[in-house]
Amino acid sequence: MTQLLAISRRELAAYFRTPVGWVVIALYLALSSVVFAFLVLAPAEPASLRPFFGLSGWLLMFIAPAVSMRLISDEIRTGTIESLMTAPVSDWLIMIGKYGAAVAFLAIMLLPTLAYPATLEALANPDFGPVLAGYLGLALAGMLYLSIGALFSALTASQTLAFLGTLFTLLLVRLTTTEAIAQRAPEPLSSALFAISIDQRLSGFARGVISTGDVAFFACVSIWLVVLSVIALQSRRWR
Amino acid sequence: MIEVEHIEKRFGAFWAVRGATFRVDRGEAVGLLGPNGAGKTTTIRMITGFLPPDAGHVRIDGKDILNDSLAARACIGYLPESTPLYPEMTVQGLLQHRARLFRIPRRERRAAVDRAIEQCWLTEMRRRRVGHLSKGYRQRVGLAAAILHDPPALILDEPTNGLDPTQITEMRRLMRELAQDRAVIVSSHILSEVEKTCDRIIVIARGAIRANSTIETFGGGACPRCILEAKIDDQTAASAFGDALRALPGVSNVDLESLADWRRFVLTPDVDAPPIAERVGKVVLQHDVVVRELRQEAPSLESAFLELIARADIEDQA
């Protein structure tokens, strides 16, 4: 446990000791506050955070690759991977510790946005069910995006490649599984596209519906991708 | 302490290391010497568990680096080549992080960090960020991180790279100190480095071990060369004198060089020949030449090393 926490702590601190972490948080808060101010607090609109969750779902597709790209790539590029992988720490702990730090960073980034439901509560009487479900959806989507990023980061020494690989994969998955495209695809591809549609599942959370299937989907895919990342990290020893 | 048995590593068709076998005991400092690309770093990476060998075994303090990897790795202090460190951390923060990775108990952590900082002369730098330190100080931080958990085996890859002469002297002193109760492997391509810090040399070239001996016996205990500087104006007389030297038993070759008014004869003895200086003296008396210098020169570590490398190249091409 000490080792896991040591890895997570160093990784999380590194986000805040370099400008990257601060810039990502600042940009996200700036964009989300614009949406909150102009779309959520708009007159005659219902007291709902759906526009904020909708935008955040898309913003995370760009933020998560920026957060995850350095996880392993940076260690490979600078050579610190050699010190890390020759310490008495298993590859599982290395990957889980680093992935945990990236998830913690996203959580810290989302924390100030709790001011939005608080503001809404002061001005109107929002239903907190969809708000809680919306945050859960964001957190689960963020974890899924970060696990894709962790896999790409374990595969290359280039942070740029890790970023682009993650971003294009996310765009590909999200675009090809939109209703417009999935409907036009022949069966059984159409059903498969609907089944892996992140949009569909996130819209359920935004409506306040927490489905076990959706939670299990995000959790299982994230876990599998982290397992693949560990295998990718282990494979570095054999290359 | 460090046992390496027939380890092999291949990258595609390229043999990086072929059948390396050696052992290093506690209290011994061994220099792993070889030209760039010889296989030193690959050997070290296999010993430290960073790369698994394709064949063979590595055991650290009796623990197999593959089958009991975490326990074996806990016994190793490793300073990788070019000393990779996290630049955003402070010296103290980085050492505390390493102490946690090596599971040093919380109550002993502070003392271990303080001891490593003191041993590596980093007291004044403990709160500085690693990225703001000079190369020499970064090297010391890398060494402090390697000795932090008091490992019985210490592996240092090019430890004096980029250090200034004062730092090199300090580093050598520290390495000798550390080797007193540890098994130490120092990888280097600098001969004088190994000569001054190690008890034994292992020469690796083209992936194979070419020599494994103490500094004193390195080079096979070859007979010293004999160098004679004599005043012989006449070319014919000089040639005749050279022929007389060549005819001496135990002399395999005589090279003649002209130095203004003097001529230098360099006599290379046969392998295992007895010292030839006495017999050279007799020839000098017989030819009645004026001599200003007659000395024996032991083959330098460098010449023995170069000979080994050249032989390795020839064998490999064959």
Side-chain angles (χ1 to χ4, degrees), chain B residues 169-183:
Chain B
T169 313
E170 284 174 348
M171 183 67 93
R172 281 178 189 155
R173 196 157 44 97
L174 180 60
M175 283 194 284
R176 293 232 55 113
E177 233 176 84
L178 292 169
Q180 281 173 7
D181 54 352
R182 289 178 179 85

Side-chain angles (χ1 to χ4, degrees), chain A residues 2-3 6-7 9-10 14 17 75 78-90 236-239, chain B residues 9 11 45 48-52 70 73-74 78 80 84-86 88-89 97-98 100-103 109 129:
Chain A
T2 311
Q3 292 173 314
I7 291 167
R9 206 158 91 169
R10 192 213 72 78
R17 284 187 185 135
E75 301 260 6
T78 57
T80 46
I81 192 81
E82 201 169 337
S83 304
L84 191 57
M85 290 178 80
T86 52
V89 187
S90 75
R236 299 208 74 82
R237 294 187 191 272
W238 298 95
R239 278 186 262 163
Chain B
K9 188 76 193 173
F11 297 109
R45 284 180 170 172
T48 55
F50 186 62
L51 285 177
L70 296 184
R73 280 190 258 162
Y78 177 35
L85 300 165
Y86 299 115
E88 76 281 357
M89 297 184 96
H97 168 68
R98 296 289 298 178
R100 285 185 197 104
L101 290 187
F102 278 86
R103 285 187 178 158
R109 220 175 279 156
R129 284 205 182 176

